[in-house]
Amino acid sequence: MKIYFCGSIRGGRQDAELYTRLIEQLKAYGTVLTEHVGTKELTEEQQKWTEKECHDNSLQWLTSCDVVVAEVTQPSHGVGYEIGRAVAMNKKILCLFRPSSDKGISSMILGADNGSTVQVKNYREEDAAKIFKDFLS
């Protein structure tokens, strides 16, 4: 299974270490195409990408993936864009939100939840393994 993980990059890197831990758990289910989302620093090659290369590479991975897992606690225009594109591609999507944060979640994300192909889950990190198992198995 090819998994596209998305989380905030330019919108704020406060959760990068959490992303890394979530990505490690997701690897039990397949290949995570976007492991770089969990790194503190982009690779030298990624730092050289133009905005268009970043967009086009991300869309190529998104198109080729089987499922999308999005950590949506840290607001991000890019993550919202990726989710919207994934919905249009009829991808299976899991959005994770930590209600314990001081953040709110977009009604556009909440309203997309249909209980099957698009699911939005409030979670704590210790619940992620079960959520992933239920969604990906």
Side-chain angles (χ1 to χ4, degrees), residues 14-52:
Q14 298 91 324
D15 291 337
E17 291 176 7
L18 169 65
Y19 300 161
T20 297
R21 294 189 299 271
L22 295 174
I23 288 165
E24 285 304 312
Q25 291 184 54
L26 288 169
K27 288 180 182 179
Y29 298 93
T31 302
V32 179
L33 302 174
T34 52
E35 280 189 64
H36 65 277
V37 174
T39 61
K40 284 276 192 189
E41 301 285 329
L42 296 177
T43 66
E44 194 172 310
E45 177 187 349
Q46 290 166 333
Q47 290 175 11
K48 293 178 184 175
W49 287 352
T50 65
E51 304 298 331
K52 178 140 180 56

Side-chain angles (χ1 to χ4, degrees), residues 45-61:
E45 177 187 349
Q46 290 166 333
Q47 290 175 11
K48 293 178 184 175
W49 287 352
T50 65
E51 304 298 331
K52 178 140 180 56
E53 288 170 322
C54 180
H55 174 271
D56 293 352
N57 289 335
S58 294
L59 277 187
Q60 184 177 21
W61 292 322

Side-chain angles (χ1 to χ4, degrees), residues 58-89:
S58 294
L59 277 187
Q60 184 177 21
W61 292 322
L62 189 57
T63 300
S64 71
C65 78
D66 300 302
V67 298
V68 173
V69 175
E71 211 300 345
V72 298
T73 306
Q74 177 65 36
S76 166
H77 296 297
V79 172
Y81 177 82
E82 290 165 320
I83 292 168
R85 293 296 296 254
V87 167
M89 294 178 195

